[in-house]
Amino acid sequence: TERIKPAFKLPLENPCRVVTKAPNVKRERILTKYEAKKLKLSFGQRSDLDGWEICKLALKSVLSMKDLRGLELGQEIDLDRAKTGVSVNLPLPVLVKLNWKNWRKRWEAARKQAGLSDVQFRDLRKTGINWLKGRHDLKLISEYAGHADIKTTERSYTINQAAYLEPLARDMDR
């Protein structure tokens, strides 16, 4: 007693041809030194020094969370990036055991307490790379970050922080 529904008619033209691809939005959020201090203070006030150690290592090593989770106590950082497979060997020893238990809740609570609700953990990697910019060669920074191409570092990770001052500079020039 089952009824088979008749097949539906396909449109004459492909409806997907008029669909446009959503634009990629480049995330440009990096922390200032002051905001990093607020985040450190927030973890301290919550008695979560392990949480700050994770953030500090993310800033220093410019590794992603997936790569940081694979690190072990007492070893220098020598791994293949989880995303790209590019080998990364950094002379940074892991001095404390990274405690990832309930990390998401701890991170959310600390950043909320610090008033940094728009900051994401991945912003720490971009922040670390930007703090190196201007003090070191971009090729060296690219290699440190594990990028296969320097253009990735230029295009996606380095942000001109003084861009908001350009209108002021033009006004002063007049």
Side-chain angles (χ1 to χ4, degrees):
T1 62
E2 289 182 13
R3 291 184 131 177
I4 299 174
K5 294 183 180 179
F8 62 91
K9 288 187 177 183
L10 292 173
L12 296 175
E13 293 183 28
N14 184 352
C16 294
R17 70 173 177 78
V18 295
V19 175
T20 58
K21 186 177 177 182
N24 281 343
V25 178
K26 180 180 171 186
R27 186 162 172 80
E28 296 200 358
R29 182 66 166 98
I30 61 172
L31 278 76
T32 63
K33 301 271 185 184
Y34 174 70
E35 289 172 328
K37 286 180 184 177
K38 283 174 55 175
L39 190 60
K40 178 182 180 181
L41 181 64
S42 175
F43 276 109
Q45 289 173 343
R46 303 183 58 74
S47 299
D48 187 5
L49 299 180
D50 291 344
W52 175 245
E53 286 298 325
I54 291 171
C55 293
K56 187 168 68 170
L57 191 57
L59 286 165
K60 287 188 338 187
S61 68
V62 298
L63 290 175
S64 65
M65 185 186 309
K66 194 170 190 177
D67 292 329
L68 286 170
R69 285 183 182 265
L71 298 178
E72 294 182 23
L73 177 64
Q75 294 181 337
E76 284 192 352
I77 298 171
D78 186 12
L79 52 88
D80 290 339
R81 293 280 321 274
K83 184 176 178 183
T84 60
V86 174
S87 180
V88 176
N89 187 330
L90 305 175
L92 288 173
V94 180
L95 300 175
V96 295
K97 182 166 175 39
L98 301 177
N99 176 10
W100 292 97
K101 187 175 181 183
N102 294 326
W103 172 247
R104 185 71 178 178
K105 286 183 180 179
R106 291 164 46 206
W107 167 254
E108 295 291 337
R111 73 181 189 142
K112 183 178 178 184
Q113 184 176 350
L116 301 172
S117 59
D118 62 329
V119 173
Q120 297 176 7
F121 188 81
R122 64 182 172 169
D123 296 333
L124 299 179
R125 174 173 164 78
K126 189 174 283 193
T127 298
I129 291 171
N130 274 277
W131 286 357
L132 293 171
K133 189 179 86 172
R135 298 188 341 213
H136 300 282
D137 181 46
L138 200 56
K139 176 67 178 159
L140 191 62
I141 295 171
S142 178
E143 189 176 326
Y144 187 79
H147 293 151
D149 187 8
I150 191 171
K151 290 183 180 181
T152 304
T153 311
E154 286 178 331
R155 184 180 56 246
S156 303
Y157 285 90
T158 56
I159 296 168
N160 184 6
Q161 293 174 289
Y164 70 96
L165 295 175
E166 286 179 23
L168 187 71
R170 283 195 303 267
D171 189 40
M172 291 301 288
D173 193 35
R174 281 189 225 141

